[in-house]
Amino acid sequence: MSKTLIYPGTFDPFTLGHLDLAERACRIADRVVIAVAEHSGKNTLFSLAERCQLVQESCKHLRVEVRPFSGLLINLAAEEQAAMILRGLRSGTDLDYERPMADLNRRMQPGLEVLFMLPAAELAAISSSLVREIHRLGGDTSALIPPVVQRALLDKR
Ligand code: PNS
């Protein structure tokens, strides 16, 4: 049976850490859907359409589908007939945040597996929020995000 994996996130913006995970996901799943959250309780710098487009362009070399989503992740998983959800873990703090969501998602949809993957060690410090902060304060983010995202970020100045 072919296995679909969903990699969900806000991706505001998509970073090299996210790209590393998307590449790893393509190595383990038959079909990878990167799901860009419309609302995740955060005010975003990039619109939903911009975030989807930047993910798509950053992953041009990969066999992934990019789509927006709103509502419960388990409903998206059912709609996409996904067997697995992928989340990245950069630290123990990430695990503290992820564990309750994974537990509740599994309780609501038994059979849905939640996978956690570590990004490459040199990418573990990168987060979208730090990218936005460095950019806002005039710093160079070019080593942290794909070139297409860097261009879009500079256009926001
Ligand atoms: O990149 P983020 O902001 O860490 O992604 C968080 C996201 C979008 C994956 C998470 O907020 C989510 O799954 N939202 C969908 C709503 C949902 O299902 N909430 C119940 C979780 S138990």
Side-chain angles (χ1 to χ4, degrees), residues 45-95:
L45 174 64
F46 288 97
S47 70
L48 179 63
E50 287 172 326
R51 285 180 282 133
C52 287
Q53 190 189 346
L54 291 173
V55 175
Q56 188 88 62
E57 290 177 11
S58 302
C59 295
K60 265 208 294 239
H61 59 299
L62 296 174
R63 186 186 30 81
V64 299
E65 297 166 37
V66 179
R67 60 160 291 174
F69 85 102
S70 57
L72 284 176
L73 187 55
I74 52 159
N75 291 344
L76 174 75
E79 188 186 320
E80 294 288 352
Q81 299 188 312
M84 318 169 251
I85 301 282
L86 172 65
R87 294 285 289 165
L89 286 185
R90 292 162 305 184
S91 64
T93 312
D94 276 355
L95 181 59

Side-chain angles (χ1 to χ4, degrees), residues 74-145:
I74 52 159
N75 291 344
L76 174 75
E79 188 186 320
E80 294 288 352
Q81 299 188 312
M84 318 169 251
I85 301 282
L86 172 65
R87 294 285 289 165
L89 286 185
R90 292 162 305 184
S91 64
T93 312
D94 276 355
L95 181 59
D96 289 344
Y97 169 72
E98 294 294 335
R99 171 104 213 198
M101 286 200 292
D103 284 345
L104 293 179
N105 280 333
R106 253 198 328 209
R107 199 184 297 183
M108 289 187 283
Q109 191 173 319
L112 181 66
E113 286 301 335
V114 183
L115 305 185
F116 295 109
M117 279 181 141
L118 305 175
E122 66 274 17
L123 303 175
I126 304 175
S127 67
S128 296
S129 56
L130 286 178
V131 167
R132 291 196 306 275
E133 179 171 324
I134 292 167
H135 170 72
R136 184 166 49 82
L137 299 175
D140 179 10
T141 53
S142 58
L144 311 176
I145 50 184

Side-chain angles (χ1 to χ4, degrees), residues 8-35:
T10 306
F11 304 123
D12 185 43
F14 195 73
T15 68
L16 290 181
H18 294 134
L19 181 58
D20 180 76
L21 249 70
E23 287 168 347
R24 291 172 196 280
C26 288
R27 293 201 281 271
I28 62 163
D30 301 305
R31 177 171 168 255
V32 173
V33 177
I34 303 185

